[in-house]
Amino acid sequence: MFELGKLTATCGVSKAMEQDERFSYDVVDAIRRFITGDWGDVVKEDAQKNAFALENGLRIVGAYPTVRGKIWIITEADRSATTVLFPSEY
């Protein structure tokens, strides 16, 4: 649906992926959902903002449950980068 740009993860997510294979699968699944327009566990207003963002070149945000708690996926407005992070790392 849109370009991810450079895909990165924060230190916390990277370390958790190294330690927990199930979490790694959850992250990959969340990214798959994100790029197809499934924004995960966001409120209706945030889903509407993402729809607007797709058409107008703004930041896109998704939120997904994992075995290690919720993760966020954020694609920058210019589509240069996408970051996977824990909400506590924002």
Side-chain angles (χ1 to χ4, degrees), residues 12-30:
V13 168
S14 293
K15 286 180 183 179
M17 289 179 74
E18 290 173 4
Q19 297 169 350
D20 189 337
E21 188 174 347
R22 294 173 305 148
F23 177 69
S24 296
Y25 287 121
D26 285 350
V27 171
V28 170
D29 185 58

Side-chain angles (χ1 to χ4, degrees), residues 1-2 30-39:
M1 287 188 76
F2 57 95
I31 294 167
R32 181 194 54 77
R33 291 173 61 191
F34 184 72
I35 62 174
T36 62
D38 174 352
W39 312 124

Side-chain angles (χ1 to χ4, degrees), residues 26-75:
D26 285 350
V27 171
V28 170
D29 185 58
I31 294 167
R32 181 194 54 77
R33 291 173 61 191
F34 184 72
I35 62 174
T36 62
D38 174 352
W39 312 124
D41 295 343
V42 297
V43 296
K44 182 179 178 181
E45 292 79 14
D46 287 342
Q48 291 170 336
K49 287 179 184 178
N50 281 344
F52 183 81
L54 283 172
E55 295 181 17
N56 296 283
L58 301 172
R59 186 173 80 161
I60 302 168
V61 179
Y64 307 89
T66 74
V67 296
R68 295 250 179 149
K70 186 174 281 190
I71 59 169
W72 289 349
I73 302 177
I74 302 173
T75 296

Side-chain angles (χ1 to χ4, degrees), residues 1-6 34-35 54 60 75-82:
M1 287 188 76
F2 57 95
E3 295 293 321
L4 291 177
K6 182 179 179 180
F34 184 72
I35 62 174
L54 283 172
I60 302 168
T75 296
E76 299 303 325
D78 65 1
R79 308 298 186 256
S80 64
T82 297

